[in-house]
Amino acid sequence: MVKAKARAVDGPDKGFREAEITRRDLDQQDVLIEIKFAGICHSDIHTAHGEWGEVNYPLVPGHEIAGIVTEVGPNVTKFKVGDRVGVGCMVDSCGECENCQKGDEQYCNKGNVPTYAGFDKYGEPTQGGYSTHIVVTEGFVVSIPDNIELDAAAPLLCAGITTFSPLNRWQAGPGKKVAVVGMGGLGHMAVKIAHAMGAEVTVLSQTLNKQEDGMKFGAKDYYATKDPETFEKLAGTFDLIINTVSAKIDAGAYIGLLALDGTMVNVGAPPEPLSVHVMSLIGRRRSFAGSMIGGIQETQDMLDFCAEHNIAPNIEVISADEIDHAYDRVLNSDVKYRFVIDTSTM
Ligand code: NAP
Ligand code: ZN
């Protein structure tokens, strides 16, 4: 067993505290990773605050993990000690169902094993990346390309893949008009990736405060959703809308911005239902879809794509003592554009 330093939370309205957790002894195909950086995703906040349902506390969140391999099990073939690696939102799946076989491990018919707030195949609760070490079976570990710094790589493991996957599936590319709703952690990655794929990108943010950044990330246009004229002006415009908003929004109003055959994909995961008047779908053969992270090979493809296109998130590196403050700032949409914990401060 490896002892790891960590930051844990004991209840929905509690702050983070120092903790020590144990990681299992290496199984045949396990790798031990010394975590260097862990991103803070809004999903960590939804989970830590118990918004998505009951959670087993104490909880160590964190599913944007970047680090170095320090030990490998006897049957590991993909990695060796010293490799730069990442782990995202899941650490295992059945491997046998049709979805796993297709590389859609996130949609495993038996349920994937989430990196935290789940149970592994040994029946132990999983604990995430706000810690110094983690043990993961090699099939759920990806390689970080040399030209991506480890701190910047961390957010790609969730924010990167969660936006890359639907942009890819719904074919964001030349000739396509893509809108990104909400420019936080996921949203700013969606802008960069969609732009690199060749799409024409528009940001729909609450205000124009971050407009300059949005244009630097590759947006062609930027509108404030607090301005009702935005919805009149852009009606029927977009082929694809990626909604990254963490709160309940008027989904129908955004669907009205889709062109014929357009699709709005929700990656934002507010706890409350969003309501849609079906007439807004029927009238222009529109679709309203959802998408969850991405498969393991797809995650590697996303990292390679980012390396090739020199795409990295804009991050603010913080110490482990600053997690509560960072959560407050994310909740106030005051994040530019991802907080990343330096685990050496644990
Ligand atoms: P984030 O950094 O907090 O970004 C969310 C952005 O949404 C904010 O920056 C803000 O952008 C906008 N926003 C927030 N509250 C709003 C409100 N009340 N009305 C309108 N806009 C609002 O969060 P994130 O880490 O990117 O995560 C976003 C969501 O995706 C969360 O719900 C998270 O759980 C979910 N998620 C889903 C998956 C998946 O697999 N589907 C994976 C990861 C995360 P502006 O300031 O630009 O308006
Ligand atoms: Zn996440």
Side-chain angles (χ1 to χ4, degrees):
M1 299 266 223
V2 173
K3 286 197 185 335
K5 289 188 209 161
R7 292 297 156 117
V9 65
D10 293 315
D13 43 21
K14 295 283 195 306
F16 279 86
R17 63 167 170 86
E18 287 181 27
E20 191 178 80
I21 57 175
T22 53
R23 300 298 192 179
R24 66 172 183 257
D25 287 329
L26 296 197
D27 210 336
Q28 305 285 320
Q29 280 185 293
D30 282 343
V31 299
L32 172 63
I33 299 164
E34 186 182 333
I35 299 173
K36 296 291 189 187
F37 295 98
I40 293 180
C41 176
H42 206 118
S43 301
D44 301 350
I45 304 178
H46 290 306
T47 310
H49 290 176
E51 293 169 18
W52 282 346
E54 230 166 273
V55 182
N56 278 316
Y57 298 100
L59 172 79
V60 177
H63 59 207
E64 295 187 334
I65 296 170
I68 306 283
V69 173
T70 53
E71 204 184 323
V72 297
N75 292 346
V76 167
T77 57
K78 259 174 84 180
F79 301 102
K80 59 180 191 319
V81 171
D83 283 354
R84 303 162 82 247
V85 293
V87 176
C89 302
M90 55 182 171
V91 288
D92 212 350
S93 72
C94 84
E96 287 163 3
C97 73
E98 57 181 330
N99 297 348
C100 285
Q101 291 284 321
K102 276 193 298 201
D104 282 328
E105 298 90 349
Q106 73 277 32
Y107 303 118
C108 173
N109 284 333
K110 293 188 179 151
N112 72 62
V113 177
T115 304
Y116 61 82
F119 288 90
D120 64 20
K121 64 182 168 206
Y122 309 97
E124 296 295 324
T126 56
Q127 299 287 12
Y130 298 3
S131 61
T132 54
H133 297 81
I134 192 167
V135 173
V136 182
T137 187
E138 65 171 336
F140 285 76
V141 179
V142 288
S143 294
I144 295 175
D146 287 338
N147 67 339
I148 305 179
E149 297 296 332
L150 279 186
D151 53 1
L156 297 177
L157 277 305
C158 175
I161 183 60
T162 301
T163 49
F164 177 86
S165 181
L167 287 167
N168 209 18
R169 168 156 295 267
W170 277 276
Q171 297 170 329
K176 291 285 178 72
K177 290 188 176 168
V178 175
V180 175
V181 189
M183 202 172 75
L186 266 59
H188 95 293
M189 286 312 306
V191 174
K192 292 183 182 203
I193 293 171
H195 173 66
M197 288 175 171
E200 185 183 303
V201 185
T202 299
V203 177
L204 303 173
S205 180
Q206 292 167 92
T207 65
L208 295 179
N209 293 345
K210 297 178 282 191
Q211 181 168 22
E212 205 177 307
D213 289 345
M215 306 312 259
K216 273 191 215 144
F217 300 157
K220 183 167 171 286
D221 287 310
Y222 198 107
Y223 290 90
T225 54
K226 285 209 165 136
D227 178 357
E229 273 180 29
T230 293
F231 291 88
E232 286 163 34
K233 186 160 181 215
L234 299 177
T237 300
F238 301 106
D239 301 300
L240 178 63
I241 298 177
I242 306 287
N243 175 21
T244 76
V245 175
S246 48
K248 181 177 176 167
I249 58 168
D250 179 0
Y254 290 86
I255 286 171
L257 306 185
L258 290 171
L260 177 67
D261 287 327
T263 302
M264 175 153 105
V265 183
N266 236 81
V267 290
E272 310 86 4
L274 304 187
S275 72
V276 170
H277 203 305
V278 293
M279 292 305 178
S280 66
L281 298 171
I282 290 171
R284 291 204 188 195
R285 203 162 53 200
R286 293 158 167 155
S287 306
F288 187 23
S291 182
M292 185 170 73
I293 49 175
I296 296 298
Q297 182 56 50
E298 196 181 14
T299 303
Q300 188 64 58
D301 293 345
M302 175 276 307
L303 287 166
D304 296 343
F305 177 90
C306 289
E308 190 190 328
H309 293 269
N310 277 310
I311 295 175
N314 290 47
I315 58 171
E316 200 173 319
V317 177
I318 61 165
S319 75
D321 290 334
E322 295 174 288
I323 298 172
D324 292 321
H325 182 57
Y327 272 33
D328 289 341
R329 284 187 51 195
V330 172
L331 289 172
N332 288 322
S333 300
D334 176 24
V335 52
K336 287 188 172 176
Y337 282 84
R338 202 56 145 184
F339 290 107
V340 173
I341 304 162
D342 176 351
T343 62
S344 70
T345 61
M346 297 227 162

